[in-house]
Amino acid sequence: MFNALQGTGSYGLSPKDSDVGNHASTALSCVFAISSLFAGALFNIFGHRLLLIIGGLTYCLYVGSFLAYHYITSIVFVVVASCLLGIGAGWLWCAQGAVMMGYPEEGDKGKYFAIFWAIFNCGGVIGNVIPLILQWNDADAGGASTGAYGTYMVVMVIGALLSLLLLPTSKVFRRDGTNVVRVRYSSPTSELISVFKLFLDWRMLCLIPMFFTSNWIYTYQFNAVNAFNFTIRTRAMNSMFYWLAQIFASIAYGQFLDKREWSRPKRARYGLILLTILLGGTWAGGFFFQRTFGPRNDNAVPDPLNPGSLIKNPADFHHIDLVTNTKDFIGPFFLYLAYGVTDAMYQGFSYWLMGALTNDTNQAARFAGFYKFVQNLGGVLAPVVQTSIIGNGPSAGYNAVNAQTRGMGEFLVCVVLIGLGVLGAVPVAFRAVQEHTIEEGDDIIELGDKQELYDGKN
């Protein structure tokens, strides 16, 4: 549901309130990053169910803050709810990542990601059907309706409570009879030490650019492309197919990464090559679309909410509707579809690489926390670029009056970061991925302050 709301652009708010969404995103990403860094330790101490339930419920409060904004325009409530979600999301995503990367056998890492990503993005698809149905006949609507927000919240609560049905990791076994966890309990001190050791792991350091970029591009795609250039019903349609494309792309790419005919090192290399080719083609198309819109420095208009201040001119962007402007809609629609495909592959390859580096659920939890930590640092800075003089959404005042590059600067930053992400993944894919994972200290299991021999089965 969060994906559905975020994917419609500006979190369902009117484009004129895009700064509210950016402030919320910045607050969320800051706290999310910090929470994620320590979530791996919490996972290994308290387990996944507690983290999933509490984390899931914070999403409901977050959506409620945007619903409240429609009536009381309180940005304080939105920011506070964003910070609380940052804590909960760090817990939820760490638990999710640990399960997805730590549960499968070595030959099923891609399949598990595909299953997760398909179910995950079904939420985005269904979530976008809600505003699409409720507001189909309201072509001039600027944001999501009360009914849409309310439905999101109900589904979120149900989803969080369903986590109660999950088994504890100690009761989960793979098909070969091995338990998915290697450590029965751990002290907080040893867990924190293990987390900070990741900053000395060359493999994690190489993957930082890829992790950093994976959420950065959402700010550009959801706001600059979707929110600023389409009507609300068209934004919902774009977002629905964006997530639908991710479902099919994740399934196909997951099968590709688990192809039995190739060794795992070959799959890592071929997967990165395929990802690079599709990324290049997609963002080349994005370059040509970006050339057709973006704020001009000589075209700012008075801000109706703040007399005496200037904001970007809506006329500098498209106002495409899938019904009334069908001809203009087709090209950008397929571009947005391609953005969805490559995002699924980019995120999928990140998870697959981490999964190929460990079979231990506890270590997978630490990897997931590190991944989300770095990813959300990117989420903090992306809105800053978007609201700067080179971005597509400069805030009121100086940045609106002095807008440069018609938004192309923001686009090029995305392209450079993606390129660095791919380059950083090269040494890991070509050197670190082995046919079989050898865990550090495979023969030793740490139980708090004690150590015992570990036989690999129990």
Side-chain angles (χ1 to χ4, degrees):
M1 295 300 103
F2 177 87
N3 273 1
L5 183 63
Q6 185 187 40
T8 56
S10 299
Y11 298 92
L13 299 177
S14 170
K16 67 181 178 62
D17 294 319
S18 62
D19 279 353
V20 176
N22 282 332
H23 290 317
S25 179
T26 300
L28 167 60
S29 297
C30 285
V31 181
F32 196 165
I34 298 171
S35 175
S36 298
L37 187 60
F38 301 102
L42 293 176
F43 173 90
N44 291 334
I45 295 171
F46 297 110
H48 62 297
R49 285 188 294 183
L50 180 65
L51 272 60
L52 288 170
I53 295 168
I54 296 177
L57 291 176
T58 60
Y59 279 82
C60 182
L61 177 64
Y62 179 74
V63 175
S65 72
F66 283 100
L67 174 58
Y69 187 85
H70 277 274
Y71 297 96
I72 60 176
T73 60
S74 173
I75 193 170
V76 174
F77 183 23
V78 173
V79 172
V80 170
S82 300
C83 292
L84 292 175
L85 174 60
I87 297 173
W91 296 357
L92 183 144
W93 277 93
C94 174
Q96 171 273 325
V99 170
M100 186 180 68
M101 294 185 290
Y103 278 24
E105 297 177 36
E106 290 184 341
D108 292 331
K109 302 283 186 176
K111 182 175 75 174
Y112 269 55
F113 168 77
I115 292 172
F116 160 70
W117 208 250
I119 297 173
F120 173 55
N121 287 299
C122 279
V125 173
I126 295 170
N128 277 286
V129 171
I130 295 169
L132 197 61
I133 293 174
L134 294 177
Q135 296 175 269
W136 177 264
N137 294 320
D138 191 3
D140 297 322
S145 67
T146 299
Y149 282 115
T151 307
Y152 289 145
M153 294 169 69
V154 170
V155 177
M156 285 175 165
V157 170
I158 294 173
L161 296 179
L162 282 174
S163 299
L164 289 168
L165 300 178
L166 293 171
L167 281 174
T169 51
S170 60
K171 295 184 179 180
V172 179
F173 293 84
R174 300 186 181 95
R175 286 177 299 182
D176 60 5
T178 58
N179 195 302
V180 299
V181 290
R182 299 173 63 237
V183 181
R184 292 184 181 274
Y185 67 88
S186 180
S187 71
T189 302
S190 62
E191 277 301 322
L192 289 177
I193 291 174
S194 297
V195 168
F196 286 110
K197 279 183 178 179
L198 295 178
F199 289 93
L200 302 176
D201 188 329
W202 72 268
R203 303 168 302 177
M204 292 294 106
L205 296 179
C206 285
L207 291 174
I208 282 178
M210 178 168 270
F211 296 168
F212 186 82
T213 311
S214 57
N215 262 18
W216 182 292
I217 59 176
Y218 285 158
T219 300
Y220 173 77
Q221 292 173 356
F222 296 160
N223 292 339
V225 177
N226 202 23
F228 298 163
N229 290 290
F230 300 93
T231 61
I232 186 66
R233 65 181 179 185
T234 311
R235 285 157 55 181
M237 177 69 80
N238 288 343
S239 184
M240 181 180 71
F241 276 91
Y242 179 93
W243 301 120
L244 192 63
Q246 295 225 15
I247 293 175
F248 291 106
S250 64
I251 293 172
Y253 195 51
Q255 291 177 337
F256 182 87
L257 292 173
D258 284 345
K259 201 170 180 62
R260 307 288 182 180
E261 291 82 358
W262 300 330
S263 66
R264 194 158 65 158
K266 279 188 177 180
R267 282 179 266 152
R269 296 163 189 173
Y270 294 164
L272 183 58
I273 292 171
L274 177 61
L275 173 63
T276 303
I277 293 172
L278 293 182
L279 281 171
T282 298
W283 286 87
F287 172 79
F288 289 104
F289 184 54
Q290 176 65 62
R291 292 178 62 186
T292 66
F293 67 88
R296 289 163 39 193
N297 60 1
D298 60 349
N299 207 27
V301 296
D303 184 352
L305 301 179
N306 298 294
S309 182
L310 296 174
I311 59 173
K312 64 181 182 293
N313 193 335
D316 291 337
F317 298 86
H318 302 294
H319 190 70
I320 301 173
D321 184 77
L322 75 165
V323 176
T324 59
N325 308 105
T326 306
K327 183 178 179 181
D328 296 331
F329 167 71
I330 298 299
F333 169 75
F334 279 104
L335 171 64
Y336 208 64
L337 208 66
Y339 278 142
V341 170
T342 51
D343 176 59
M345 295 175 64
Y346 198 82
Q347 302 262 12
F349 193 69
S350 299
Y351 275 116
W352 187 88
L353 277 181
M354 288 186 288
L357 300 178
T358 185
N359 293 324
D360 176 20
T361 305
N362 299 89
Q363 183 68 353
R366 301 180 190 111
F367 282 174
F370 183 84
Y371 168 64
K372 285 296 176 180
F373 167 71
V374 177
Q375 183 185 61
N376 282 285
L377 292 181
V380 172
L381 297 177
V384 175
V385 173
Q386 185 165 91
T387 56
S388 71
I389 61 174
I390 66 169
N392 284 278
S395 54
Y398 178 86
N399 288 342
V401 175
N402 296 278
Q404 303 292 323
T405 75
R406 294 210 65 182
M408 186 62 75
E410 180 187 357
F411 173 87
L412 293 177
V413 169
C414 289
V415 172
V416 169
L417 289 175
I418 289 172
L420 291 175
V422 170
L423 288 175
V426 169
V428 181
F430 281 72
R431 181 181 166 194
V433 176
Q434 304 297 322
E435 185 62 27
H436 298 290
T437 302
I438 300 176
E439 306 286 352
E440 183 179 348
D442 246 353
D443 56 337
I444 298 293
I445 180 169
E446 187 175 296
L447 301 178
D449 297 326
K450 300 178 181 179
Q451 288 186 335
E452 298 179 8
L453 290 178
Y454 174 70
D455 64 8
K457 293 184 179 180
N458 298 310

